[in-house]
């Protein structure tokens, strides 16, 4: 049993980035297999076979499922009883992402917004993206890595509707956004939808929505119903795998939500591509690390 120190955080941050890029979660593998079985169009079935081949090669060679290693995003939950120093954890997450990139090694995708100079290690000002949350009664630190490639992230969109526009406007916005994104986000992936909150919170909710295991329905019946309605509408578009036509255009629609202002009705879409990459580490006070998805 190892003892907790900040090297543990750095090591876990490195390993979850590599794991997310090389090892798809079982729920994603299962969802792709079920999608293939439901797909009736022969060209679309061939695309699924190419995806299975990419997964098989990644498994066999312990390499990347997709060449776009994305930007690193850590969703961190810190237990109220976990002995921690937030500033040090932040520093170690960045070092872990950098070391993963340089030591695996894989392509660093971060760049300066104006000079376009790439430091080659996936980090830089504002990166990695870190979401912080706190859990009452827990003594562990959980980090979920969700690397985001540009094909899907570039299709992100949000809009501030007004309450009079109602639920119908939110659904139409999501559907229009999906149709407009076409093949760019490498469908069929998870369509993450945020509703409620503020302009910034609603996009974070959409991003959190793509991080749920595929098809895990919202606990709220009204939200779960909206997820199903959107999923059916998106699959009815016929856009299909890689945007080339077929029965399956999305593996799942997930919605995360928050209360909003009485005069607001915000919605955001953050699409995840077919590999729906994510990996999780739970660090216990002893320093033991559990890896999973
Ligand atoms: S959208 Fe996803 S699957 Fe497509 S190239 Fe980017 S990371 Fe790869």
């Amino acid at each position: 049993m190892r003892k907790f120190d900040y090297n543990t955080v750095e090591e876990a941050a490195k390993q979850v980035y590599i794991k997310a890029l090389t090892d798809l979660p079982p729920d994603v593998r299962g969802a792709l297999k079920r999608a293939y079985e439901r797909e009736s169009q022969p060209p679309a079935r061939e695309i699924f076979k190419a995806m299975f081949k990419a997964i098989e090669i990644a498994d066999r060679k312990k390499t990347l499922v997709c060449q776009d290693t994305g930007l690193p995003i850590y969703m961190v939950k810190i237990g109220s009883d976990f002995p921690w120093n937030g500033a040090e954890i932040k520093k170690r997450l960045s070092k872990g992402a950098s070391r993963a990139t340089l030591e695996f090694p894989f392509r660093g995708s971060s760049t300066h917004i104006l000079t376009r100079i790439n430091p080659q290690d996936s980090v830089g000002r504002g990166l990695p993206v870190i979401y912080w949350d706190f859990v009452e009664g827990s003594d562990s630190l959980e980090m979920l890595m969700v690397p985001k490639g540009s094909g899907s992230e570039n299709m992100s969109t949000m809009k501030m509707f007004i309450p009079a526009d109602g639920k119908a406007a939110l659904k139409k916005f999501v559907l229009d956004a999906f149709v407009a994104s076409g093949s760019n986000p490498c469908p069929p992936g998870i369509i993450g939808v945020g509703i409620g909150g503020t302009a910034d919170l609603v996009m974070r909710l959409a991003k959190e929505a793509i991080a749920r295991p595929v098809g895990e329905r919202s606990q709220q019946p009204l939200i779960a119903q909206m997820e199903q309605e959107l999923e059916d509408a998106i699959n009815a578009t016929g856009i299909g795998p890689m945007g080339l036509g077929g029965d399956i255009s999305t593996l799942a629609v997930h919605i995360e939500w928050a209360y909003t202002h009485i005069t607001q009705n915000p919605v955001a879409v953050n699409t995840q591509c077919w590999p729906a990459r994510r990996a999780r580490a739970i660090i216990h006070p002893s320093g033991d690390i559990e890896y999973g998805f």
Side-chain angles (χ1 to χ4, degrees):
M1 185 184 286
R2 74 178 99 186
K3 192 166 154 26
F4 172 79
D5 65 36
Y6 291 99
N7 291 329
T8 313
V9 177
E10 186 177 315
E11 178 65 16
K14 173 186 160 185
Q15 295 301 340
V16 287
Y17 197 2
I18 294 170
K19 186 175 175 64
L21 295 174
T22 57
D23 187 10
L24 292 198
D27 55 280
V28 176
R29 293 170 189 255
L32 287 166
K33 193 159 176 290
R34 288 192 299 280
Y36 170 69
E37 283 158 4
R38 281 166 49 214
E39 179 59 65
S40 68
Q41 301 298 312
R45 289 173 65 84
E46 290 305 311
I47 291 169
F48 278 114
K49 285 185 195 165
M51 292 169 179
F52 297 141
K53 185 80 182 161
I55 296 171
E56 186 267 314
I57 292 170
D59 286 344
R60 185 160 38 85
K61 298 196 167 185
K62 306 271 175 262
T63 191
L64 310 176
V65 180
C66 176
Q67 43 72 37
D68 188 348
T69 51
L71 294 181
I73 300 168
Y74 292 99
M75 298 180 181
V76 179
K77 289 183 182 168
I78 297 177
S80 55
D81 301 328
F82 186 77
W84 67 289
N85 167 344
E88 187 64 26
I89 290 173
K90 182 178 174 188
K91 202 186 325 171
R92 296 306 188 110
L93 291 173
S94 180
K95 274 194 88 174
S98 171
R99 283 185 50 210
T101 312
L102 299 171
E103 293 174 21
F104 184 78
F106 54 74
R107 185 188 81 184
S109 300
S110 67
T111 193
H112 187 288
I113 184 71
L114 296 180
T115 67
R116 309 308 293 186
I117 292 171
N118 180 343
Q120 306 293 345
D121 67 350
S122 302
V123 297
R125 183 181 171 89
L127 296 177
V129 176
I130 305 172
Y131 290 179
W132 299 100
D133 203 355
F134 304 91
V135 183
E136 192 59 50
S138 159
D139 65 356
S140 60
L141 180 154
E142 179 183 312
M143 65 174 80
L144 179 65
M145 155 58 69
V146 185
K148 209 58 208 310
S150 67
S152 55
E153 189 69 2
N154 281 350
M155 297 299 109
S156 306
T157 179
M158 64 85 62
K159 184 159 179 174
M160 305 297 288
F161 285 99
I162 58 170
D165 295 323
K167 174 183 168 186
L170 305 184
K171 285 175 62 182
K172 182 172 184 311
F173 180 79
V174 175
L175 194 56
D176 288 349
F178 175 76
V179 171
S181 67
S183 61
N184 290 293
C186 298
I190 301 170
I191 311 300
V193 178
I195 53 174
T198 52
D200 53 341
L201 175 57
V202 76
M203 186 53 82
R204 173 172 168 156
L205 292 169
K207 183 65 63 61
E208 288 176 347
I210 63 164
R212 284 191 348 225
V214 180
E216 185 182 282
R217 281 273 171 259
S218 170
Q219 300 291 308
Q220 298 287 323
L222 278 177
I223 302 289
Q225 183 190 336
M226 190 170 164
E227 288 175 338
Q228 189 63 56
E229 290 166 359
L230 280 167
E231 208 170 293
D232 293 344
I234 286 172
N235 280 328
T237 62
I239 284 176
M242 290 296 170
L244 296 174
D247 305 320
I248 309 295
S249 298
T250 181
L251 298 179
V253 175
H254 296 166
I255 302 175
E256 291 291 335
W257 65 287
Y259 271 54
T260 190
H261 189 279
I262 49 174
T263 66
Q264 288 175 350
N265 192 16
V267 57
V269 178
N270 191 267
T271 304
Q272 183 58 297
C273 45
W274 72 265
R277 300 172 296 186
R278 68 174 203 277
R280 194 182 308 266
I282 298 174
I283 303 176
H284 298 282
S286 61
D288 287 344
I289 309 173
E290 269 177 68
Y291 291 104
F293 300 97

